[in-house]
Amino acid sequence: MAEDVKPTRKNLMQIEDRIELSERGHDTLEKKRDGLIMEFMDILDQAQDVRSGMEDNYEEAQRAIDMARAMEGDVAVRGAAAALKEHPEITTQSKNIMGVVVPQIESTKVRKDLSERGYGVLGTSARIDEAADAYEELLESIILAAEVETAMKKMLDEIETTKRRVNALEFKLLPDLYENKEYIEQKLEEQEREEIFRMKKIKAKKEEEEKAEREAEEQAAEEPVTADD
């Protein structure tokens, strides 16, 4: 409430400093929000492409595994899968996008040569190899999708946080500061007018007293001097 602020010049200067600081902060946050939105839109486009690619890879992997089961039998497919000795390794790092730390996922041992898959080449057919290739490609797209969509979520959270800060400054803090500034300026103007009015009254009273003194002196000077005097 503006009425809770003491209308002093010191408070007025402090409020003006806060307004200047808040306006700079508001401008900075607006630029950050706009920059984050642009980055988010780029990541969103990438996420849509990645998701579309992942869906295509999933369909291809399903087609390949169904074909392998149909041609080789479920037991042979399960046996080839169980023969795998080296599993994919996932490591996570981080990168900074406009102050937002997002994950960067690195994967190794996803793609394998025939000799690295563990099952015997002579005991299996090309159908199982095709299924293995398709699922390795699918796994790579899943890892990429996880990285991109996690980054997208973090960016979206930061955008919402920044928007709330911008709105708090624009619709709450700055209006309150402007109101307090206007209130203090009005009160100071009223005080200045009252002071001017008071000084005028003092001056007028003093002039009246000086005039009365002059008139008394003039009247005394005009009175006749008697013999006794």
Side-chain angles (χ1 to χ4, degrees), residues 2-215:
E3 290 76 5
D4 297 333
V5 181
K6 291 184 179 180
T8 64
R9 296 199 176 276
K10 180 180 178 181
N11 284 343
L12 179 60
M13 293 176 62
Q14 290 176 343
I15 288 176
E16 288 175 340
D17 289 342
R18 289 186 64 192
I19 288 175
E20 182 181 357
L21 182 62
S22 298
E23 286 177 341
R24 288 205 305 268
H26 179 267
D27 292 341
T28 300
L29 286 172
E30 274 194 326
K31 292 177 181 177
K32 179 181 179 181
R33 179 200 61 193
D34 295 343
L36 286 170
I37 291 174
M38 292 180 64
E39 292 287 346
F40 174 79
M41 296 306 295
D42 290 340
I43 294 175
L44 179 61
D45 290 339
Q46 184 182 0
Q48 291 173 341
D49 292 340
V50 169
R51 180 174 286 276
S52 177
M54 183 177 66
E55 290 173 354
D56 292 341
N57 291 339
Y58 176 77
E59 291 177 1
E60 177 61 24
Q62 283 294 103
R63 186 200 63 77
I65 197 70
D66 289 342
M67 183 64 70
R69 283 171 174 166
M71 299 296 294
E72 302 296 325
D74 195 58
V75 173
V77 172
R78 289 179 180 273
L84 183 66
K85 301 300 181 181
E86 289 188 342
H87 297 281
E89 296 179 358
I90 305 296
T91 58
T92 58
Q93 297 178 349
S94 61
K95 58 183 177 180
N96 192 302
I97 302 177
M98 294 194 66
V100 182
V101 178
V102 298
Q104 190 169 16
I105 302 175
E106 300 290 341
S107 60
T108 56
K109 300 181 181 178
V110 175
R111 295 275 188 172
K112 294 181 174 60
D113 295 330
L114 290 176
S115 61
E116 296 174 328
R117 287 175 179 164
Y119 56 79
V121 177
L122 298 178
T124 59
S125 70
R127 299 299 181 184
I128 290 180
D129 296 337
E130 290 173 359
D133 288 337
Y135 269 91
E136 287 171 358
E137 187 172 354
L138 174 60
L139 180 56
E140 284 186 338
S141 64
I142 290 173
I143 293 169
L144 180 58
E147 176 183 323
V148 172
E149 294 197 8
T150 302
M152 186 172 63
K153 183 179 184 304
K154 284 183 172 290
M155 293 292 289
L156 185 58
D157 290 343
E158 186 66 20
I159 288 170
E160 290 300 322
T161 299
T162 305
K163 284 174 63 178
R164 286 196 297 269
R165 291 174 179 171
V166 169
N167 291 339
L169 285 168
E170 184 172 349
F171 299 111
K172 177 59 180 174
L173 181 59
L174 281 170
D176 288 348
L177 290 173
Y178 293 143
E179 182 183 357
N180 290 341
K181 180 176 180 289
E182 183 178 359
Y183 171 75
I184 292 177
E185 287 175 340
Q186 289 177 348
K187 288 297 181 181
L188 290 176
E189 288 176 1
E190 289 176 6
Q191 293 174 5
E192 186 176 354
R193 287 195 297 269
E194 290 174 358
E195 182 66 16
I196 291 173
F197 179 73
R198 188 179 68 85
M199 295 301 296
K200 285 182 177 179
K201 287 188 65 175
I202 292 174
K203 182 179 179 181
K205 183 177 180 181
K206 184 176 180 181
E207 289 176 349
E208 288 179 1
E209 291 175 350
E210 290 175 350
K211 181 180 179 182
E213 289 178 1
R214 287 197 302 271
E215 290 177 351

